[in-house]
């Protein structure tokens, strides 16, 4: 047989059957126990042994009677139940063996979690779906915690005490050197009264105007609170309390911070007040803690301040006026409050107050608080409150200094006027006592010498406003605001708009021309030696070659103060003699927008500038304050560097410093050489032009005169390196704040900026700069190109002319109506000797006035002075 057909060898031991037989006990003849029942360490099931290993050291092996017994024994060893094949993990009986099958997870129970999330017995996305037990538990916990929080909050808040709210402290103002200026406070102006001393008409007035449901509501308006919270979330203004109860609570807060926590606290206090106090007690507290303006807290103080009577003696009509003040005393006090907002003028406030007074009386009648007869009696005549009164210490210039500093604080912080008037503030100012006294003395000296209101009708109602600012710093060191609160002059003339500045505006036109050029020079600056037509009654040409027209389509002609025929003269000469026509045409050529931008960069506020950029804009139809004019000229003194004016260096509340009162930053308003050339030109105004009265200062100075249409205002603004000062003079009808002509004032035909205002400026500057060095000004280098107006003659040989020391009242040269090419004055001979000061040629006292705007150019004429001091004029708004 071949090898391929040979049978394979059989295994030794008799094959499978023999193997099976080999598993039986050779001595007992029984079949061997099943795998796992022997207690062997190799047993993968881990069954326990009842004795020693059968192959060990003589221990007895437990016998099994059958397969069933073995199976039961195996089950007992694994906890009494069948067990799946092991999956390879370590079992109770020994180490895991390889190659074993997969089995179930251990059935030993795991440790339960307090919150079963994510859920352990779910898979996939179901692990992240919370059970209803979890949801309900969280809801119960949340609402339980909320109830507990409300309960704790309610228990912790205290009911406000109106007597604590009425306590006042002084506001203390300090001079720049740290000495105390004045301590002001309204402690004597606060007195609480009981409800029986408050007329029913006053109670009814505030209920009809503020909270008709007062006697039936819970004291809290949830919708009002929700609106306030939404507004806060949006970053907007929050509204005041919607109910009288909430307003009473709000009045008692020393902090007016608009925060969510404060709003919730206010709500809890209002709830508690509504449950603990009677409606009469709440109304009494509200009327005793409300702010009525003029520093008056509470109804008793308001009654004395506005009507000079006790609260119990107020009439229903007077009660309606006082109730209208609760909407906002700044805007509803008929005396006006332009110290805080320029919009709060006397006329505007009177109109608002009158309308709300009538409405409140009508609502009281509808609500049956007034009978028909009582209503008709109350509505018959508006009870005009008495005027403002000076408070202790607020006299002389102190009243205006404190007023200016207060406005600055309110404009640079979140402090409200009502909060400020509660006191507790220390205000450190920039004002220097010696300079304030010097400015006051200068005004009073010139007034006494030149004005006689008792014997001259045109000397009545003459007023002055002045301010002094440090160049390159912005600190206001002195101001003159008027005759003082004690003389019923409550308007701060140093910080009010409405008085046109006239020709003091011309330096901004020249600066714009030197910086930007005209439409003819393609952006190249214009030299101050450029010639323009200075004749009177001149047509003003647009860049497109057409002429400006009046409303009736006739050609508009710009006027000078005199009809002297100057012909074509340099801009430097036109500034010296304050001639209008060259600067009007120059302003059009440069672009009035650029002129406005230069003025704004120098410190003039946009709101005080004429909005109609007609030709007359170039010669001063705008109405900035004395403070802002001094600050703008300080930009020229600082070689083009500008700093916003400021009056407060630091504020503390109860001794703790407040933020927001750091020194304003210095900015670049114009190139330094532009500013230096303006200064060089304005030096010549004092040396040879309309400002020669300022030569008495006896040191290097620059300045410009200004006189306006119909002689309604006169200005002088001048400066040295150390100080820039402006002085305004005007007449004003005290009844309607309308500007009056000064023709005939001081016994002269007309008042010019070079006359009384310059005299006041010189008197003050002599005292203010006493013992200080004459620093001079930086040299001005040649700037721009000579860009003569079309029609100007070609240069002619130089003719030497001896300048006169003082401009004569009548031009010294006989004018020729058709002259277009006069002999050049000394000004024109200085084209290559830039700083020459012999520019006095044909002098004439033509302190250029603004011409009357035509029907199409009435904006900015400034015949009526707006009492726009405060945030709208000094601080801007926003506020400054």
């Amino acid at each position: 047989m071949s090898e391929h057909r040979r049978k394979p060898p059989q295994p030794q031991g008799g094959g499978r059957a023999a193997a099976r037989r080999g598993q039986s006990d050779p001595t007992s003849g029984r079949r061997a126990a099943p795998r796992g029942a022997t207690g062997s360490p190799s047993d993968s099931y881990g069954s326990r042994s009842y004795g020693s290993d059968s192959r060990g050291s003589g221990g007895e092996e437990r016998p099994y009677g059958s397969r069933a017994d073995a199976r039961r024994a195996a089950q007992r060893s694994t906890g009494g139940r069948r067990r799946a094949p092991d999956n390879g993990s370590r079992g109770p009986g020994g180490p895991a063996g390889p190659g074993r099958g997969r089995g179930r997870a251990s059935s030993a129970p795991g440790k339960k979690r307090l919150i079963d999330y994510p859920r352990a017995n779910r898979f996939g996305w179901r692990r992240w779906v919370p059970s209803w037990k979890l949801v309900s538990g969280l809801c119960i916990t949340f609402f339980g915690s909320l109830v507990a929080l409300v309960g704790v909050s309610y228990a912790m808040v205290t009911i406000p005490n109106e007597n604590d709210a009425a306590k006042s402290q002084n506001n203390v103002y300090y001079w720049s050197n740290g000495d105390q200026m004045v301590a002001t406070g309204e402690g004597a102006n606060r007195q609480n009264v009981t409800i029986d001393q408050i007329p029913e008409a006053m109670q009814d007035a505030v209920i009809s105007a503020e909270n008709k449901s007062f006697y039936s509501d819970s004291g809290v308006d949830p919708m009002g609170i929700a609106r306030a919270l939404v507004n806060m979330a949006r970053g907007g203004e929050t509204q005041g309390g919607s109910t009288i109860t909430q307003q009473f609570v709000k009045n008692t807060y020393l902090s007016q911070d608009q925060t969510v926590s404060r709003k919730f606290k206010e709500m809890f206090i209002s709830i508690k007040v509504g449950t603990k106090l009677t409606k009469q007690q709440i109304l009494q507290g509200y009327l005793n803690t409300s702010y009525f303006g003029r520093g008056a807290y509470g109804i008793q103080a308001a009654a004395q301040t506005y009507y000079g009577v006790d609260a119990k003696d107020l009439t229903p009509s007077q009660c309606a006026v006082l109730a209208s003040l609760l909407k906002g005393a700044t805007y509803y006090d008929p005396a006006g409050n332009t110290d805080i907002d320029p919009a709060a003028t006397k006329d505007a406030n009177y109109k608002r107050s009158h309308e709300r007074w009538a409405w409140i009386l009508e609502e009281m009648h509808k609500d049956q608080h007034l009978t028909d007869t009582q209503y008709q009696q109350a509505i018959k005549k508006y009870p005009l409150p008495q005027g403002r009164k000076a408070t202790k210490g607020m006299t002389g210039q102190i009243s205006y200094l404190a007023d200016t500093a207060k406005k600055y604080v309110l404009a640079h912080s979140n402090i409200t006027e009502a909060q400020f008037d509660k006191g507790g503030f220390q205000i450190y100012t920039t004002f220097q006592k010696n300079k304030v006294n010097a400015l006051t003395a200068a005004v009073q000296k010139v007034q006494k010498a030149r004005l006689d209101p008792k014997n001259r009708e045109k000397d009545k109602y003459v007023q002055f406003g002045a301010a002094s600012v440090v160049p390159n710093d912005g600190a206001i060191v002195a101001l003159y605001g008027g005759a003082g609160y004690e003389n019923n002059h409550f308007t701060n003339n140093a910080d009010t708009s409405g008085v046109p500045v006239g020709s003091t505006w011309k330096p901004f036109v020249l600066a714009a021309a030197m910086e930007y050029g005209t439409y003819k020079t393609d952006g190249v600056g214009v030299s101050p030696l450029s010639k323009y037509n200075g004749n009177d009654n001149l047509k003003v040409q647009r860049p497109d070659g057409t002429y400006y027209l009046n409303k009736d389509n006739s050609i508009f002609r710009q006027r000078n103060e005199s009809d002297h025929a100057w012909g074509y003269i340099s801009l430097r000469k036109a500034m010296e003699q304050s001639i209008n026509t060259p600067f009007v045409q120059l302003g059009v050529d440069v672009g009035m927008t650029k002129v406005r931008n230069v003025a704004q960069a120098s410190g003039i506020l946009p709101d005080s500038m004429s909005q109609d950029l007609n030709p007359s804009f170039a010669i001063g139809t705008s109405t900035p304050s004395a403070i802002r004019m001094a600050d703008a000229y300080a930009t020229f003194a600082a070689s083009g560097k500008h700093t916003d004016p400021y009056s407060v260096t630091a504020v503390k509340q109860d001794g703790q410093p407040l933020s927001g009162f750091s020194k304003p930053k210095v900015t670049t308003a114009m190139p330094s050489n532009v500013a230096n050339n303006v200064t060089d030109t304005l030096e010549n105004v004092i040396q040879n032009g309309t400002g020669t009265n300022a030569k008495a200062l006896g040191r290097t100075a620059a300045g410009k005169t200004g006189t306006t249409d119909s002689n309604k205002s006169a200005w002088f603004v001048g400066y040295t390196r150390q100080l820039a000062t402006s002085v305004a003079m005007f007449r004003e009808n005290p009844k309607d704040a309308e500007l009056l002509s000064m023709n005939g004032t001081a016994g002269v035909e007309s008042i010019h900026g070079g006359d009384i205002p310059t005299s006041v400026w010189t008197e003050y500057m002599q005292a203010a700069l006493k013992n200080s060095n004459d620093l001079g000004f930086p040299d001005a280098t040649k700037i721009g190109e000579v860009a003569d107006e079309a029609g100007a003659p070609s240069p002619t040989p130089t003719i030497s002319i001896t300048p006169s020391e003082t401009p004569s009242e009548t031009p010294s040269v006989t004018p020729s109506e058709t002259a277009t090419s006069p002999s050049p004055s000394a000004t024109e001979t200085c084209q290559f000797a830039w700083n020459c000061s012999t520019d006095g040629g044909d002098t004439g006292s033509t302190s250029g006035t603004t011409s009357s705007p035509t029907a199409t150019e009435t904006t900015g004429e400034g015949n009526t002075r707006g009492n726009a001091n405060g945030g709208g004029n000094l601080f801007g708004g926003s506020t400054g």
Side-chain angles (χ1 to χ4, degrees):
M1 179 181 289
S2 99
E3 237 177 50
H4 294 286
R5 298 181 60 86
R6 187 182 300 164
K7 291 184 178 180
Q10 296 295 322
Q12 306 230 353
R16 293 183 180 178
R20 283 196 299 272
R21 286 194 296 270
Q23 290 179 2
S24 301
D25 190 329
T27 59
S28 65
R30 294 181 180 176
R31 190 182 182 96
R35 183 180 180 90
T38 65
S40 169
S42 65
D43 186 355
S44 66
Y45 294 101
S47 58
R48 64 185 175 182
S49 172
Y50 291 88
S52 304
D53 193 299
S54 59
R55 295 173 181 82
S57 56
E60 181 182 358
E61 182 179 352
R62 182 172 180 174
Y64 295 92
S66 66
R67 291 183 179 181
D69 290 338
R71 237 181 355 260
R72 284 193 293 273
Q75 290 172 357
R76 282 195 299 271
S77 70
T78 59
R81 59 185 175 86
R82 292 180 182 273
R83 183 166 179 177
D86 198 285
N87 63 357
S89 63
R90 184 186 301 273
R100 293 182 182 151
R102 295 172 61 96
R104 290 187 209 166
S106 172
S107 62
K111 185 178 180 180
K112 290 187 177 180
R113 293 182 293 173
L114 179 62
I115 300 177
D116 184 22
Y117 191 82
R119 300 174 70 179
N121 59 345
R122 295 290 185 272
F123 302 94
W125 62 269
R126 291 180 178 82
R127 282 170 52 82
W128 305 99
V129 178
S131 65
W132 68 270
K133 292 181 180 180
L134 178 61
V135 173
S136 59
L138 289 176
C139 289
I140 292 172
T141 302
F142 173 75
F143 286 110
S145 301
L146 187 61
V147 170
L149 178 63
V150 170
V152 171
S153 300
Y154 180 84
M156 289 182 65
V157 298
T158 57
I159 295 175
N161 187 329
E162 63 191 80
N163 293 318
D164 291 339
K167 292 179 181 178
S168 67
Q169 303 178 64
N170 284 333
N171 285 329
V172 183
Y173 296 84
Y174 298 90
W175 295 104
S176 62
N177 64 357
D179 292 344
Q180 182 173 314
M181 178 196 302
V182 66
T184 66
E186 302 295 339
N189 202 23
R190 302 186 187 197
Q191 180 183 350
N192 287 345
V193 292
T194 56
I195 193 69
D196 60 293
Q197 295 175 293
I198 302 174
E200 288 188 11
M202 189 67 215
Q203 302 175 43
D204 296 335
V206 297
I207 290 172
S208 292
E210 305 285 331
N211 183 193
K212 287 180 180 290
S213 62
F214 171 68
Y215 283 111
S216 59
D217 63 35
S218 63
V220 176
D221 179 11
M223 293 303 296
I225 293 175
R227 284 194 302 270
L229 293 175
V230 169
N231 285 342
M232 275 191 283
R234 293 176 176 174
E237 292 288 333
T238 60
Q239 298 171 335
S242 301
T243 68
I244 285 177
T245 303
Q246 287 176 259
Q247 292 182 51
F248 168 45
V249 172
K250 186 173 182 290
N251 288 344
T252 62
Y253 273 95
L254 293 178
S255 172
Q256 298 296 322
D257 295 337
Q258 300 295 344
T259 61
V260 173
S261 62
R262 193 195 72 81
K263 211 68 184 170
F264 273 111
K265 187 175 181 181
E266 181 183 305
M267 179 182 69
F268 285 125
I269 297 175
S270 299
I271 293 172
K272 196 164 189 176
V273 167
T275 57
K276 297 294 184 180
L277 299 182
T278 65
K279 292 293 185 179
Q280 290 291 84
Q281 289 174 316
I282 295 171
L283 190 57
Q284 173 185 302
Y286 171 61
L287 288 172
N288 276 330
T289 58
S290 292
Y291 184 64
F292 290 85
R294 299 192 194 180
Y297 276 88
I299 184 60
Q300 174 66 14
Q304 288 288 347
T305 299
Y306 287 89
Y307 291 107
V309 300
D310 289 333
K312 61 184 178 62
D313 297 323
L314 291 168
T315 67
S317 188
Q318 291 171 336
C319 289
V321 172
L322 296 182
S324 70
L325 293 169
L326 296 175
K327 188 172 177 64
T330 298
Y331 303 100
Y332 288 86
D333 180 354
N337 200 350
T338 52
D339 291 346
I340 304 301
D341 192 331
T345 62
K346 235 175 160 181
D347 291 342
N349 277 21
Y350 176 85
K351 182 179 180 182
R352 281 188 285 259
S353 177
H354 191 281
E355 289 175 352
R356 188 159 178 83
W357 162 78
W359 176 80
I360 289 174
L361 289 176
E362 185 179 355
E363 292 301 305
M364 292 172 68
H365 184 226
K366 287 180 182 178
D367 297 337
Q368 299 182 351
H369 297 312
L370 292 176
T371 64
D372 291 346
T373 303
Q374 289 172 327
Y375 173 68
Q376 292 300 328
Q377 179 65 28
I379 200 72
K380 186 181 297 183
K381 183 180 180 181
Y382 176 82
L384 185 68
Q386 60 190 15
R388 293 175 177 267
K389 295 179 181 178
T391 57
K392 183 180 179 181
M394 298 288 281
T395 57
Q397 296 309 301
I398 297 296
S399 52
Y400 306 115
L401 299 175
D403 160 69
T404 302
K406 175 182 176 179
K407 285 183 292 185
Y408 191 88
V409 171
L410 298 183
H412 291 79
S413 69
N414 294 324
I415 301 170
T416 64
E417 183 185 10
Q419 184 183 1
F420 185 88
D421 285 346
K422 285 182 178 178
F425 295 93
Q426 297 85 49
I427 303 98
Y428 297 84
T429 75
T430 60
F431 304 126
Q432 297 180 20
K433 186 176 182 179
N434 62 329
K435 289 182 172 60
V436 171
N437 290 341
L439 185 53
T440 303
V443 172
Q444 292 176 347
K445 180 179 179 179
V446 174
Q447 277 183 316
K448 184 177 180 179
R450 300 294 302 275
L451 303 177
D452 186 9
K454 292 183 179 179
N455 299 312
R456 272 198 299 261
E457 184 69 23
K458 287 298 183 77
D459 287 4
K460 292 181 178 179
Y461 312 135
V462 173
Q463 298 186 34
F464 292 87
S468 196
V469 174
V470 177
N472 218 14
D473 183 279
I476 307 169
V477 295
L479 56 80
Y480 181 85
Y485 285 11
E486 70 275 19
N487 293 312
N488 295 319
H489 186 87
F490 296 96
T491 300
N492 185 352
N493 290 344
D495 187 27
T496 182
S497 69
V499 181
V501 295
S503 293
T504 58
W505 195 259
K506 291 172 182 174
F508 302 123
V509 182
L510 181 61
M514 289 192 290
E515 182 174 0
Y516 297 108
T518 68
Y519 71 93
K520 302 174 183 177
T521 64
D522 294 327
V524 177
V526 170
S527 166
L529 298 182
S530 302
K531 293 183 177 64
Y532 272 71
N533 194 337
N535 288 337
D536 184 37
N537 205 30
L538 201 68
K539 296 185 290 185
V540 182
Q541 192 174 45
R542 302 175 187 270
D544 63 4
T546 61
Y547 294 104
Y548 280 91
L549 303 177
N550 295 316
K551 235 178 183 180
D552 61 0
N553 288 328
S554 61
I555 294 178
F556 166 71
R557 292 177 179 271
Q558 179 60 53
R559 301 295 306 273
N560 294 326
E561 186 185 17
S562 77
D563 60 0
H564 177 61
W566 291 98
Y568 285 89
I569 56 174
S570 71
L571 298 173
R572 179 180 173 87
K573 183 68 176 180
M575 185 76 76
E576 171 196 298
Q577 296 300 322
S578 200
I579 304 170
N580 289 338
T581 49
F583 285 99
V584 170
Q585 187 62 61
L586 178 66
V588 171
D589 293 350
V590 172
M592 295 300 182
T593 300
K594 291 185 175 67
V595 174
R596 179 186 61 192
N597 293 344
V598 167
Q600 184 174 338
S602 301
I604 304 299
L605 295 176
D607 291 346
S608 66
M609 284 190 267
S610 176
Q611 301 305 302
D612 190 350
L613 302 183
N614 57 49
S616 295
F617 179 79
I619 50 176
T621 56
S622 296
T623 59
S625 69
I627 291 175
R628 284 289 173 172
M629 282 302 288
D631 179 65
Y633 271 52
T635 302
F636 300 137
S639 297
K641 301 294 183 182
H642 170 254
T643 310
D644 280 333
Y646 66 102
S647 58
V648 175
T649 58
V651 176
K652 295 180 180 179
Q653 184 177 20
D654 298 326
Q656 298 301 314
L658 303 180
S659 60
F661 299 99
S662 57
K663 183 179 173 180
K665 295 181 179 179
V666 177
T667 61
T668 300
M670 64 188 70
S672 59
N673 198 37
V674 169
N676 293 340
N677 271 274
V678 171
T679 295
D680 181 74
T681 304
L682 297 186
E683 279 188 86
N684 185 58
V685 171
I686 290 178
Q687 292 300 315
N688 303 298
T690 58
T692 52
N693 281 339
K695 290 173 67 175
L697 178 60
R699 65 173 64 222
T700 306
K704 183 69 186 76
T705 58
T707 309
T708 56
D709 184 38
S710 301
N711 203 209
K712 291 180 178 178
S713 63
W715 288 72
F716 184 76
V717 188
Y719 55 93
T720 65
R721 285 280 290 278
Q722 300 102 320
L723 216 53
T725 303
S726 64
V727 178
M729 178 182 177
F730 55 93
R731 288 183 70 216
E732 182 182 65
N733 187 331
K735 293 182 179 179
D736 53 17
E738 181 181 355
L739 294 181
L740 304 173
S741 174
M742 290 189 292
N743 289 334
T745 296
V748 298
E749 184 178 351
S750 62
I751 297 293
H752 296 96
D755 188 7
I756 292 179
T758 303
S759 297
V760 172
W761 182 90
T762 306
E763 285 283 342
Y764 162 69
M765 293 289 278
Q766 283 176 333
L769 297 173
K770 188 177 181 180
N771 300 324
S772 63
N773 295 326
D774 185 352
L775 301 180
F777 293 113
D779 290 335
T781 59
K782 187 174 181 180
I783 191 170
E785 65 178 29
V786 175
D788 295 339
E789 183 185 6
S794 301
T796 55
T798 299
I799 301 176
S800 179
I801 297 177
T802 303
S804 83
E805 282 296 316
T806 305
S808 58
E809 193 67 33
T810 306
S812 58
V813 178
T814 303
S816 169
E817 294 298 330
T818 59
T820 58
S821 181
S823 299
S825 68
T827 301
E828 282 72 43
T829 69
C830 296
Q831 295 185 31
F832 303 104
W834 194 253
N835 273 325
C836 61
S837 60
T838 59
D839 197 5
D842 296 326
T843 58
S845 182
T846 56
S847 179
T849 64
T850 62
S851 65
S852 300
T854 62
T856 60
E857 297 160 345
T858 57
T859 302
E861 183 178 3
N863 287 340
T864 301
R865 184 164 71 96
N867 296 319
N869 40 4
N873 203 17
L874 173 57
F875 307 116
S878 247
T879 234

